[in-house]
Structures are given as C-alpha cells and as structure tokens.
Amino acid sequence: MALFGSDFLSKLEYLSIVSRRVFRGKLLAQQKTRQLGSGIEFADHRDYTPGDDFRYIDWNLYARHDELLLKRFQEEEDLHLYILVDCSPSMEFGTPPKYDLARQMAAALAYISLSNLDRVSITGFSDGMVKHFPLTRGKAQILSLMKFLETLPIDGKDTNLKNIAKSFVLRPQKPGLVIVISDLFDPNGFEEGLNLLRHYQYETHVIHLYDKKEAEPGLRGELELLDMENQNINKVTITERGLRQYQEIFRDYLVSVQTYCRRYGMGCTTSTADVAFDELILNMLQASMTVKA
Amino acid sequence: MNLLSPASLYWLLLAAPVVVFYLLKIRLRRIPVSTVMFWNQIYEEKKPRSIWQKLRHLISLLLQLLFLALLVFAISEPYFMNEDLNRKKLVVILDCSASMNANDVKPDRLSVGKQKIHEIIKSLRQNDEMSLIAAGMHPRIVCGMTGHQKTLRESLDSVLNTDEASSMEPALKLARNLIEDQPQGEIILISDGSFPDSSKVSENKKIVLIPVGKKDSSNVGITQFQVRRSLNDPLGYEILIEAINYSSKKKDFRIELELNEEVVDVIPLKLKAEEKWTEVFNYISEEGGILTATVNQEDFLSCDNKVQAILPERKKQKVLLVTDGNHYLERVFEAMPLVDLNVVNELPESIPENHIIVYHKKTPPNIPDGKVLLIEPTGPSQYWNVQGIIESPIVAEQDKKSELMENVRLDNVIMPETHRLILKENQPVHPLVKSATGDLLYFNINQKQNKVLVLTVNLDKGDLPLRTAFPIMVSNALSWFSGKKGEFMEALSTGNMTEIKVDSLKLKSAVTEEFKPVLKSPSGDIDQIVLKDKKLITGILQKSGVWQVGYQVKDDKVFPVSVCCNLSSSEESNIRVPENFQSEKKHQISGLGGRPVWMYLILIAIILTMCEWFLYQRRWIN
C-alpha cells in the first residue's frame, strides 16, 4: 500500500475543509503579524516625524486637535510552516513503523497549510540534515512535496536534535511555526534542540510518536539488544523486575516531554504509531490548536 | 550395587552434546530495539564474554549433566546385591471366615486385615513376588505369584467377606506348595485365630502371624440348630439348639423361636462365662416353613445370632379302606392323625385320585394303578394266584433293612390260616417277611408309579392286630406310600455345597434347553448353577440365611426349594484372639518403600530439573 494513496488524498481534502471550518479566520493566508506596514487594517497612531509619508497623516485628527499624527496599519504576511521530520533508524521501529505516520502527518499538515496559501518547508533529519524541501507556496506544490516525503530515506545514526536545530535557525528565513515530528530518542536529550528553536522565536510544536512495543516491550531472559540507531549491541538479562523498571522509565520519559513543552508554551502531541493520521491531526487541532492564526 | 543393563552407560556420551548445546545457548537471541538508552539506565552493559566467562553458569551446566547422569543410571537399572539375594516370595493368607466379620475393630476385622496386606504390597521391592490366598472353608488362590502391585491390590479388593467356618490347614498346605522350592519363601497369615488348631499354627516358626482383632471380644452365638419331624409324633417336630457364651462374664439373654415369622417360643437363658447350653425342644405343628432362632442381644459378631432351618410340611393322606369291617384295622387308621380315612364296602367304580387304597379280604382281579395295600387277599390278581391256606406259618425271615420293617419284629406273632400266594413269573416283588416254608407273608411290588404292598396274614384269626408292631407296620406303609420318611432337611453349614434332585423341583414338563437352574442368595442375588445327572449342584454357600434353588424358563423364575445355611461353628463364634496367636518372626517392611532404585533416580532427576528451571527463572546462577 502506497504511503500517499488515493485514500490518503481524500482524507487530506476532508481535513482541509474541516480545519477551515473550525479555525475560520485564523488560518487565512493573510496572517496578522506584529509588524506594522502597508496593510489596510488600522492599528494605531504615532507622532509625525519629518520624512513620513504625508498620505498616512490623519487629517481629521489634525483638524480636531491640531496635532499631526500618523496612522499606522497592520501589515499582513504569509505564515511560514517548517516541518522537521525525524529520519533516524529508530523511526523505522514498530508495526506500523513510526516513520510512516510521521511522513503522513507531515504531508497532511503541509497540505492544510498550502491550501491556506501558507508557505511550507520540510526537513528530514537524524544526526544532521538528511534532505530538505525548500519553502514553497501554493496547493499545486503538494504533489512534489508528497513525492519528496515518499523518497525521504532513513539515514544517519543517533538522533541529534540540537545539531539540526542549530543549522535550522541559522538559515536566512523568517521565523514561523516549526513542527517537530520525532520519537525524540536523542541520547543527548531533546531539550537543547527545542530550546534553540524557542530562542530564535520559532513557535514550536512537538509531535512525539512512539510504538506500543517501546512502552511495553515484553522481553524476558538473556538477550542481545540491537540499537537500531547506532547498531550497538547490549547483552542484558531481562527479569520481571527489570522489565517493570523499563516501563516506568519510559512512562517518565513521555511525561517529561509533555512537561517540558507545557512549561515553555510549546504544543505537544504524544501518540502511538498505530493511530490514523487524520484522527491524530483532528485531535491536535482541537486539543492544542497547533496551527495558530 | 550391580547394573542390569550396563551397556546403557554409553548414553553418558550425550554429555558432549549437552555441553556443546549449553555453550551454544550462550549465544543470545538478538532483538532489535529502537534505542537502548532506557535499558542502559537499568542494566550496565556486559562485557564480551570469553569461553571461560561463559562457564560462569557452571551450576546450571552441572545440574544438566547430573540430570543426564541420573537418567542414564536409571536406564541401566541398578539394583543392590542384597535385593537380589533377599528376593522374597510371599504367600499371604487372608482369613475371610465368619469371625473376620466381627466389628470389635473398626470397621471390621476383614477390612483391617486387608489394610495390613495393602501395606505389605506397598513394601514389596522390585524383585519381590507375592501370592494371595483367601482362606474360608475351602482355600482359594486369589492372585498367583506376581510382583505387579496393581494386580495384587485389585485382587485383594475382590475378596469378600463370608459366613464360612475357616479351615486353615488346607490353606497352609496350599501356601507351602506355592513356595515349595523357594529359599526366600515366606508365609504370612492374617487371621483372628478363630479356627481349629490355631495353637499349632502359632508354634510353626516358618509362618508369620499378623493377628487381627481383640483378645477380650465377647460373643454369644448359636452354634447348633437343627429341626426334624418327630419319629413318634407325626405332627411333632424337634429342635436341637446349642448356644455358647464366649466371654468372661455371665450373659443374660433370650432366644426367640419363630416359625414363618410367628413366635413359637421364647427361651430365657443365663449362661455363665464359657458355658455351653444344649437343649432339644418338642413342638407340634402340621404346617411347615422356615424356623428361625434369634439371640436378642447385639454383640461383635452378628451372623451367629440368627439361625434358620426348614421344617417340612405334613400333609394328610387320604385312605380309602375297602372292607367288610375290621375293628382293629379301622381303629389303626383312625388313630393316625395325618390320615383322612374313608371306609367303604365295595370299591367305587372310579378310583379317586391321590388316595391310598386299602383292600381287606378283597382282591380286585386287576389291581389298579397307584398306591394299594392288600391285607389278606383272598383271590388271584395279575401278580399272583391263591393256592390254599397255610395253617400256622412261622416267621423265618424278615427284611430288617427295609423301611417298611423299621421297628417291626414279627418273630413270635401267631398268623393262622394265611392264604398262600403263588407269584406269577417275572414279577418285581420284594419279600419283606417269609415263612419257614418260604411262603411270602408280607411283600411289596414296586413298579414305576405303582406301589403295591401285600400282607397275607388273617387279621381276624391271628394276634397281629393286638401287637404293637401292627400300627407301626401301617405307619411305615403309609410313609412308604407317601415317599417321605423322617422328613429331615438338614440345615447346612456355610461353606458347604449341596445337591438338589431335579424331581424335587416339581417340574410340570421335561427339562428343555431353555431350562436354566438358578440359585438365589439370602441377599437376593441370582446366579446360574450346574445341572448334572439330574441334580442341581449349588456350589459353595458362603453366606448364612435361606438360599433358594429353582429354575428359569425364559424370563420366569421359580424357586420351589429352599436350603438353610447357618454358621454352626463354635470355633468361629469364639471371636477372642487366642493369647498365644502370635509369632516370633515378624514381616520386615522394605526401607526403600519397595520401589526400584531407578525410580528414585528419576525422581531426583526431576527435582534437579525443577531446581535448574527455578535457577534459570530467578537468575541465581548469575
């Protein structure tokens, strides 16, 4: 079954309509920014200074108060959506693999954005950048974007979120919404990477995916554990007690991701990889309003 | 210790693959996981293992090798030398006589005895063998020599209690035959010692005695009970009862006599310790039936508290006396209580059925079929001709053995003017009294269904009617005609068998293939029995009570004959275990519980497997 089949596309269309209805006025292409400029919507007044364009002087106020004030307008510009997809080998784990859902999620979010005339960029990463789809606009780009996602390979070794965040923020681009789709199995910790994004004024939302077998591996006895990320082998003897400890640590890890995101005002969606992407997006939209005006 | 199959030790070579597989087992199963960073928080990564490090699990390996060694050792069937030398052949005799039903030990002596045998069976070693004999009146091999414990247990459970008297000597003889040439043979007798010559058995050092029961158990029992019709009084009957108080105390009780469940008499008795009481009682009853005597006291043994016997019924005989008149003759018949007399002058045209016809001074030319007594025949018949008169015959010869002449002596009797009868040729005549001249004075003709008795004596002239012999002769004659004499149906002792003539079943038709002789026990169980030479052979009657013999035609069962069985054994009623009923020799129970060594080895191997499994699960080996 193809990753982006006809069923997937029809669901995308449905999601686009639903998102428009739910967030009418918030997902329009003319996104309001704090920049004041040449828009048509009045924002406030400021004192006139020499050199200002006479056309923006509020003559009515001058007539009433004998004071030169300049009208300021809200400048409107497109939303920039940056999707960071984890391509590390650990994303291939699970049934179905987390990677499938990650790519479907990326495609769906990109489609919603494109159909609202936003700009979208997708970057695959693991220990560094794997592949990049530059900022694009227009619904017509969705097919090439989906093709990009389909061919996006699993590559690299250990996930390094800090590394990709560092290179991401140094790009000459406008800040916008960054959606990180990953299992966050970063040996150095996911916090530093997300902190960088936050510091560079990117609005960040984390979609944290995991497989049920990661939460409850059901392993016992003497085993060689092969780390899919770095191909390291750990020989362990898993007892009932050890298994219980693992489950506790994993639960704590999921909670720590959510706690971190909540603390810094980031959106966070945690899900297993066996749910349908459309269901997850709807939950996201309703619960955490991932795509903001 | 020796091995039955030492070649099996080659299986120890399997240790090599066990070690190889064990080492291979160290190559762990590889499981891909998305990350090990969480596992690393729990387990420190292990260092790569060398071949010696792999043997850190040496305990586990040793357990496996020990398991293999035990299995191989078990397959080689080890046995101890003394096991072979002391291989036992046991013959266990279980007394299943009536006294073993005593319930002075719970539930009863037989069950306790069986329990002891179960223990012996359990203690049998691998090569030991055992045979089981049930000893009642007749010994019976319940199970032949075998070491198979299940067979022995099942055979033992099939032994049922009986009401038989025990006869131990045949059982011991049988046991000796079974272990005749076995140096390790041993006879074990499980009994209460209530049998004749128990002291002799106790003295026999080759027999191991295991007594069952208590030495002070008291019992009162009826040890003899017989009934018969009186020889003197046709309606009377006599009962012989013997009761014994087998206890150390005086007993006060009653014996109730019942005929067909109607009380005939109640006999109060006070018997001192060890006192025997015997008495013969006379009662009168025309009716027959089952006579029961019951001791109204409960004790440890119940089967000797109730005894039964059959009293034959007395039916009246119809006598048709054809005479011109003879006072003595008529009075003789009238004096007999069981005679229904009818006196006529002339023979009626039709002869009535079931009548004894007595002709006096009258001789029909053709003597009719049936039972006929001719006194002083004056004319010829198909059997004889009359040839003159014997003036004064002297009795010279009497058949004293004949039932017709029982208690009759005619030596000095005067018999003048007796008619001389000359018999025709080839007549089945049996002379009873002959004169000195050889003339027949009293004789009988027995021909198929016809019974003819002839007395040639002139009653009017002689003094025979005045003699006491005359009524006795007539009484004997009537008994001979009826075919019953004394009518004594002996009550059998349990453990015996009896034969019943087919005639006594009063069959209406001939015996066909559908005819099946059957026997009904006192408890109501019906079994087929053997018909041989016109006799029904009951087989051994093991239970006291009333047994019924009969036949089955298709689905109909008829039981016309009853047989009473009683214990009637003073040895069995004395249920106290004799003081000296014990042997110096004791049966040794095997220390290893009677199981072969290989079984224990396998048991240890299984325990080791469980230990290894436990260690593996709990990782104690690490």
Side-chain angles (χ1 to χ4, degrees):
Chain A
M1 190 176 160
L3 186 63
F4 306 121
S6 57
D7 186 43
F8 177 81
L9 293 173
S10 62
K11 278 183 178 174
L12 281 186
E13 192 57 37
Y14 155 75
L15 280 174
S16 168
I17 294 165
V18 169
S19 64
R20 218 173 286 148
R21 192 170 63 234
V22 174
F23 302 102
R24 188 181 299 162
K26 291 182 180 177
L27 288 172
L28 292 178
Q30 295 78 21
Q31 300 295 321
K32 295 166 194 166
T33 69
R34 288 177 188 175
Q35 277 190 312
L36 298 175
S38 57
I40 56 169
E41 195 174 339
F42 171 77
D44 62 357
H45 292 93
R46 72 169 170 84
D47 291 336
Y48 171 77
T49 52
D52 285 338
D53 194 341
F54 293 153
R55 286 178 297 176
Y56 296 113
I57 293 172
D58 194 340
W59 296 110
N60 290 331
L61 270 180
Y62 179 75
R64 278 183 216 153
H65 301 288
D66 195 21
E67 192 178 359
L68 277 174
L69 291 169
L70 209 67
K71 284 194 279 188
R72 298 180 70 185
F73 295 90
Q74 190 88 35
E75 186 170 321
E76 293 171 352
E77 61 178 49
D78 299 341
L79 175 71
H80 289 196
L81 175 63
Y82 305 100
I83 300 173
L84 302 180
V85 181
D86 188 352
C87 300
S88 67
S90 66
M91 290 296 282
E92 219 175 2
F93 185 86
T95 313
K98 291 177 280 184
Y99 194 47
D100 286 359
L101 181 62
R103 287 184 293 171
Q104 285 177 332
M105 287 290 292
L109 290 167
Y111 184 83
I112 292 169
S113 241
L114 290 175
S115 43
N116 288 300
L117 305 175
D118 291 331
R119 291 175 191 274
V120 176
S121 157
I122 297 178
T123 306
F125 73 96
S126 57
D127 49 350
M129 191 180 77
V130 175
K131 212 172 176 184
H132 177 65
F133 191 92
L135 268 176
T136 187
R137 188 178 184 186
K139 205 174 173 181
Q141 296 299 319
I142 188 66
L143 287 176
S144 57
L145 204 142
M146 277 162 53
K147 194 174 179 184
F148 166 80
L149 282 170
E150 256 184 336
T151 56
L152 187 62
I154 292 284
D155 200 6
K157 282 194 168 183
D158 287 325
T159 307
N160 194 334
L161 200 56
K162 185 183 172 186
N163 203 11
I164 185 68
K166 200 184 280 179
S167 63
F168 179 77
V169 296
L170 292 176
R171 278 190 209 156
Q173 61 189 11
K174 287 186 179 179
L177 176 61
V178 177
I179 295 179
V180 180
I181 306 173
S182 172
D183 53 13
L184 300 178
F185 291 154
D186 187 339
N188 302 314
F190 62 90
E191 294 91 345
E192 285 188 54
L194 294 179
N195 283 342
L196 263 176
L197 294 174
R198 189 162 55 88
H199 294 153
Y200 280 87
Q201 306 298 316
Y202 285 94
E203 195 170 343
T204 311
H205 187 99
V206 178
I207 298 176
H208 185 197
L209 300 178
Y210 69 96
D211 190 77
K212 277 183 178 173
K213 281 198 171 176
E214 287 169 344
E216 289 177 13
L219 302 174
R220 281 175 196 84
E222 287 195 78
L223 299 170
E224 280 184 351
L225 299 180
L226 172 68
D227 192 325
M228 292 171 75
E229 297 243 288
N230 51 27
Q231 300 299 308
N232 285 342
I233 289 170
N234 272 26
K235 290 178 180 174
V236 293
T237 304
I238 300 174
T239 59
E240 283 291 339
R241 191 170 145 223
L243 188 64
R244 279 199 300 275
Q245 281 180 333
Y246 171 88
Q247 288 165 343
E248 204 171 318
I249 289 169
F250 194 85
R251 264 199 308 275
D252 291 347
Y253 181 72
L254 294 181
V255 171
S256 72
V257 172
Q258 287 172 339
T259 310
Y260 171 85
C261 291
R262 206 180 305 123
R263 185 183 303 151
Y264 296 108
M266 295 179 187
C268 179
T269 303
T270 306
S271 172
T272 53
D274 57 350
V275 298
F277 78 95
D278 52 333
E279 193 182 322
L280 187 58
I281 284 184
L282 283 179
N283 287 343
M284 265 175 65
L285 291 174
Q286 287 172 352
S288 62
M289 293 186 188
T290 304
V291 185
K292 288 186 180 174
Chain B
M1 183 181 277
N2 281 357
L3 301 175
L4 276 179
S5 59
S8 304
L9 291 178
Y10 284 113
W11 287 102
L12 282 173
L13 294 173
L14 281 174
V18 167
V19 174
V20 170
F21 282 125
Y22 182 80
L23 294 176
L24 288 176
K25 195 195 82 172
I26 302 300
R27 188 175 293 169
L28 306 175
R29 192 157 54 105
R30 182 169 292 177
I31 304 286
V33 293
S34 48
T35 180
V36 293
M37 63 183 201
F38 303 118
W39 292 112
N40 285 343
Q41 293 179 38
I42 304 165
Y43 303 107
E44 283 184 14
E45 191 185 352
K46 292 174 184 173
K47 292 173 187 173
R49 300 168 186 198
S50 68
I51 186 73
W52 298 110
Q53 282 173 321
K54 286 175 182 176
L55 290 178
R56 281 193 309 172
H57 302 301
L58 204 57
I59 298 173
S60 181
L61 177 63
L62 285 176
L63 282 174
Q64 289 178 32
L65 291 176
L66 190 58
F67 174 75
L68 176 72
L70 286 168
L71 278 186
V72 172
F73 201 42
I75 292 169
S76 62
E77 295 188 65
Y79 65 96
F80 295 106
M81 287 296 288
N82 66 338
E83 207 176 324
D84 194 33
L85 293 171
N86 300 326
R87 179 160 40 178
K88 282 184 180 175
K89 297 272 184 186
L90 300 179
V91 179
V92 178
I93 303 171
L94 174 61
D95 183 356
C96 56
S97 63
S99 59
M100 291 293 279
N101 294 329
N103 54 5
D104 55 338
V105 288
K106 298 296 173 190
D108 56 57
R109 290 180 176 183
L110 188 70
S111 302
V112 173
K114 280 184 177 181
Q115 189 56 43
K116 287 181 186 293
I117 298 176
H118 273 299
E119 286 169 15
I120 294 171
I121 293 171
K122 205 175 169 185
S123 73
L124 286 179
R125 294 169 303 183
Q126 186 183 5
N127 298 316
D128 290 351
E129 285 187 328
M130 179 176 149
S131 176
L132 186 62
I133 295 174
M137 180 72 85
H138 309 280
R140 182 168 59 94
I141 297 177
V142 181
C143 184
M145 275 294 176
T146 180
H148 192 242
Q149 297 194 6
K150 191 183 174 195
T151 307
L152 284 164
R153 278 196 292 272
E154 286 175 354
S155 304
L156 176 62
D157 292 338
S158 72
V159 176
L160 301 175
N161 62 335
T162 71
D163 292 339
E164 295 177 12
S166 56
S167 178
M168 206 50 74
E169 190 47 44
L172 290 169
K173 191 177 176 184
L174 187 59
R176 279 191 285 269
N177 289 342
L178 282 171
I179 54 165
E180 200 169 21
D181 52 351
Q182 300 293 333
Q184 296 297 328
E186 187 174 292
I187 297 172
I188 300 171
L189 173 59
I190 293 172
S191 171
D192 53 6
S194 298
F195 55 86
D197 299 329
S198 62
S199 57
K200 281 186 183 175
V201 175
S202 310
E203 289 164 9
N204 192 330
K205 292 182 178 175
K206 291 181 180 175
I207 300 171
V208 177
L209 295 179
I210 298 179
V212 180
K214 294 178 180 174
K215 292 178 179 176
D216 57 349
S217 300
S218 61
N219 181 44
V220 172
I222 300 173
T223 52
Q224 279 288 339
F225 187 70
Q226 293 292 354
V227 60
R228 69 172 184 181
R229 282 289 175 186
S230 171
L231 295 173
N232 304 322
D233 182 358
L235 294 182
Y237 61 92
E238 295 170 336
I239 301 172
L240 168 69
I241 312 178
E242 181 186 274
I244 304 178
N245 173 18
Y246 284 112
S247 73
S248 55
K249 292 177 184 173
K250 183 183 172 186
K251 292 280 181 182
D252 198 351
F253 62 96
R254 289 179 298 173
I255 293 178
E256 291 178 2
L257 286 174
E258 292 177 352
L259 180 60
N260 293 332
E261 298 181 354
E262 286 185 10
V263 178
V264 174
D265 200 357
V266 177
I267 307 159
L269 288 174
K270 287 181 182 176
L271 296 187
K272 294 174 190 169
E274 312 297 332
E275 186 181 350
K276 182 201 279 187
W277 168 83
T278 309
E279 194 66 66
V280 176
F281 294 93
N282 289 297
Y283 298 99
I284 294 171
S285 174
E286 192 178 312
E287 292 176 1
I290 294 172
L291 199 67
T292 307
T294 313
V295 173
N296 74 330
Q297 192 173 59
E298 286 193 1
D299 49 29
F300 292 122
L301 187 64
S302 61
C303 62
D304 62 354
N305 291 346
K306 184 179 179 182
V307 289
Q308 290 173 306
I310 292 172
L311 177 67
E313 186 186 5
R314 278 289 161 104
K315 287 182 181 175
K316 282 203 170 186
Q317 289 175 301
K318 292 178 180 177
V319 175
L320 179 63
L321 177 59
V322 185
T323 179
D324 291 333
N326 182 293
H327 177 75
Y328 295 108
L329 190 58
E330 289 176 25
R331 293 290 88 74
V332 161
F333 281 114
E334 284 173 357
M336 295 193 178
L338 291 175
V339 169
D340 187 3
L341 183 64
N342 188 10
V343 183
V344 293
N345 290 329
E346 295 295 331
L347 186 68
E349 287 180 5
S350 62
I351 295 168
E353 284 184 1
N354 300 325
H355 274 65
I356 298 169
I357 302 168
V358 181
Y359 292 99
H360 178 232
K361 286 190 176 180
K362 292 181 187 291
T363 311
N366 198 7
I367 294 170
D369 291 341
K371 299 162 184 173
V372 181
L373 170 62
L374 292 114
I375 299 171
E376 202 182 339
T378 53
S381 73
Q382 70 265 40
Y383 300 113
W384 64 77
N385 290 318
V386 179
Q387 198 178 59
I389 290 174
I390 310 166
E391 285 300 328
S392 293
I394 296 168
V395 174
E397 198 178 320
Q398 297 179 65
D399 183 1
K400 293 176 183 174
K401 291 179 181 175
S402 169
E403 58 185 297
L404 286 161
M405 293 299 290
E406 215 168 75
N407 302 316
V408 175
R409 294 293 176 267
L410 301 174
D411 296 331
N412 299 317
V413 180
I414 300 166
M415 308 174 187
E417 296 184 20
T418 300
H419 286 82
R420 175 179 285 124
L421 303 185
I422 306 298
L423 292 169
K424 293 179 179 176
E425 286 185 358
N426 299 326
Q427 296 301 329
V429 170
H430 178 77
L432 298 168
V433 180
K434 276 184 178 179
S435 69
T437 54
D439 293 315
L440 293 170
L441 300 175
Y442 189 35
F443 62 94
N444 69 303
I445 302 167
N446 208 344
Q447 200 174 39
K448 294 182 181 176
Q449 298 296 321
N450 299 330
K451 284 184 174 180
V452 179
L453 188 60
V454 182
L455 179 67
T456 59
V457 178
N458 187 335
L459 297 182
D460 296 334
K461 299 280 176 76
D463 64 351
L464 180 60
L466 304 175
R467 297 287 185 115
T468 52
F470 186 57
I472 296 172
M473 281 176 73
V474 173
S475 175
N476 286 350
L478 291 175
S479 298
W480 182 70
F481 281 130
S482 66
K484 293 174 184 171
K485 181 84 173 58
E487 293 179 293
F488 172 54
M489 288 187 71
E490 186 186 12
L492 299 172
S493 293
T494 46
N496 288 310
M497 59 169 73
T498 188
E499 295 175 346
I500 307 291
K501 289 179 182 173
V502 174
D503 296 344
S504 57
L505 297 179
K506 298 168 189 169
L507 294 173
K508 291 176 182 172
S509 58
V511 173
T512 60
E513 287 183 358
E514 290 179 336
F515 176 87
K516 289 178 186 169
V518 288
L519 177 70
K520 191 176 182 181
S521 72
S523 58
D525 299 329
I526 296 174
D527 286 320
Q528 199 167 335
I529 53 173
V530 180
L531 171 64
K532 190 179 179 185
D533 299 334
K534 293 187 177 179
K535 287 176 184 172
L536 305 178
I537 301 165
T538 59
I540 294 171
L541 306 175
Q542 294 183 321
K543 288 283 182 181
S544 60
V546 180
W547 294 75
Q548 290 175 295
V549 184
Y551 56 90
Q552 179 180 1
V553 178
K554 294 181 180 174
D555 292 335
D556 298 328
K557 296 187 186 80
V558 185
F559 298 96
V561 178
S562 295
V563 177
C564 284
C565 252
N566 300 319
L567 173 58
S568 302
S569 167
S570 54
E571 284 87 3
E572 292 296 326
S573 290
N574 185 5
I575 59 171
R576 292 169 298 186
V577 177
E579 286 291 337
N580 59 350
F581 191 71
Q582 53 192 10
S583 58
E584 292 175 9
K585 198 175 174 183
K586 301 285 180 195
H587 175 66
Q588 298 293 324
I589 301 251
S590 171
L592 277 173
R595 307 281 180 199
V597 177
W598 61 263
M599 256 189 193
Y600 293 98
L601 292 173
I602 287 183
L603 186 66
I604 294 168
I606 290 168
I607 292 169
L608 282 177
T609 311
M610 290 167 70
C611 289
E612 211 280 334
W613 178 81
F614 185 73
L615 288 176
Y616 179 78
Q617 288 298 315
R618 300 302 299 260
R619 306 311 310 155
W620 279 16
I621 53 173
N622 200 11

